[in-house]
Amino acid sequence: IFDLTSGEPTPRGSLETRKKEAEAARQILGVQVRVNVECPNRVLMDGPDNRFALATQFRKYRPGIVIVAAGRTPAASPDHYQGHLIGEAARFYSQLTKWDDRFAGTTPYRVPHLVYIPYPFDAEQRHWHSTFVTDIGDTIDQKLAAIKVYESQFDAERFKRIEHMVRSANGYHGSRCGYTYGELFALPHPVGSPDLVNTIYGSKPTT
């Protein structure tokens, strides 16, 4: 996980509190590495310096898939959409040659796959080239537990509303595919497949 900012300053909590909460969430999710890219909160903008910072992490850790939260949230922080743009640009920047001095001496790397996770409260209705839903019925409680540890941001009443929103959104997406809960993802291109039956069934049917 790459956190673009520390989330501070905010009306709630402190830098030290947020660090502890992020670490607790990392452990709940079973994430091996969580890095704070240390871009500026509140004034986060898609620009060269922030692109270089995130692309440097891509070049260092060399992920096979980058998942970027996508969409505009005008009722929440404008940083969210800027993070969407920075993620896309950093993926491109990380492959650039003859520019290693801007990426802390790391070597070029092209991230093979970019995936979006759309905000359920996006200000726009987007038409993605393709979408898919992953079954999270066995991990929905784990997801909510990772959110709940951010106690500085979500007191009991606020978390109750967040839990309702998360279960409702994931329940809706999951139910469309026969799951109790599902996570919606989107791609910037059509889904390719060498085998129609395998794609539809997830594996070839035995009968």
Side-chain angles (χ1 to χ4, degrees):
I1 293 180
F2 299 113
D3 296 327
L4 290 183
T5 80
S6 67
E8 291 296 322
T10 64
R12 305 176 180 86
S14 65
L15 180 60
E16 187 59 32
T17 297
R18 296 292 285 271
K19 286 182 177 179
K20 291 179 179 178
E21 292 169 342
E23 173 60 16
R26 181 194 71 79
Q27 293 180 14
I28 289 171
L29 294 172
V31 174
Q32 293 181 327
V33 177
R34 187 165 194 164
V35 175
N36 196 300
V37 185
E38 298 183 352
C39 298
N41 189 46
R42 288 188 175 178
V43 291
L44 183 69
M45 295 292 291
D46 176 28
D49 288 344
N50 291 329
R51 294 177 179 183
F52 295 146
L54 183 56
T56 297
Q57 300 302 325
F58 290 169
R59 288 160 70 116
K60 179 179 178 180
Y61 289 98
R62 309 175 87 79
I65 301 171
V66 166
I67 302 174
V68 175
R72 294 193 304 112
T73 57
S77 175
D79 287 4
H80 297 162
Y81 183 54
Q82 296 301 312
H84 169 176
L85 299 176
I86 292 167
E88 290 177 331
R91 183 207 182 198
F92 179 81
Y93 271 42
S94 66
Q95 70 186 335
L96 297 178
T97 60
K98 300 181 180 180
W99 233 11
D100 294 351
D101 59 307
R102 300 179 187 238
F103 305 102
T106 54
T107 56
Y109 172 70
R110 175 168 176 76
V111 178
H113 301 286
L114 172 68
V115 178
Y116 299 110
I117 182 164
Y119 286 112
F121 39 85
D122 190 354
E124 299 178 22
Q125 291 183 333
R126 299 182 186 273
H127 300 281
W128 306 99
H129 283 286
S130 54
T131 61
F132 62 94
V133 173
T134 298
D135 183 1
I136 63 166
D138 292 339
T139 57
I140 183 70
D141 291 336
Q142 185 180 6
K143 174 180 179 176
L144 287 165
I147 298 172
K148 191 174 183 179
V149 296
Y150 289 90
E151 294 179 354
S152 67
Q153 308 306 303
F154 307 118
D155 57 27
E157 187 58 33
R158 294 189 80 205
F159 178 74
K160 184 178 179 180
R161 295 197 298 270
I162 291 292
E163 181 177 14
H164 175 71
M165 184 273 289
V166 169
R167 288 190 182 278
S168 296
N170 289 149
Y172 167 72
H173 292 306
S175 66
R176 297 185 70 198
C177 298
Y179 308 139
T180 304
Y181 293 104
E183 198 77 68
L184 175 69
F185 296 94
L187 295 174
H189 53 74
V191 172
S193 171
D195 188 316
L196 182 146
V197 174
N198 188 54
T199 300
I200 298 300
Y201 280 91
S203 62
K204 289 188 177 180
T206 57
T207 58

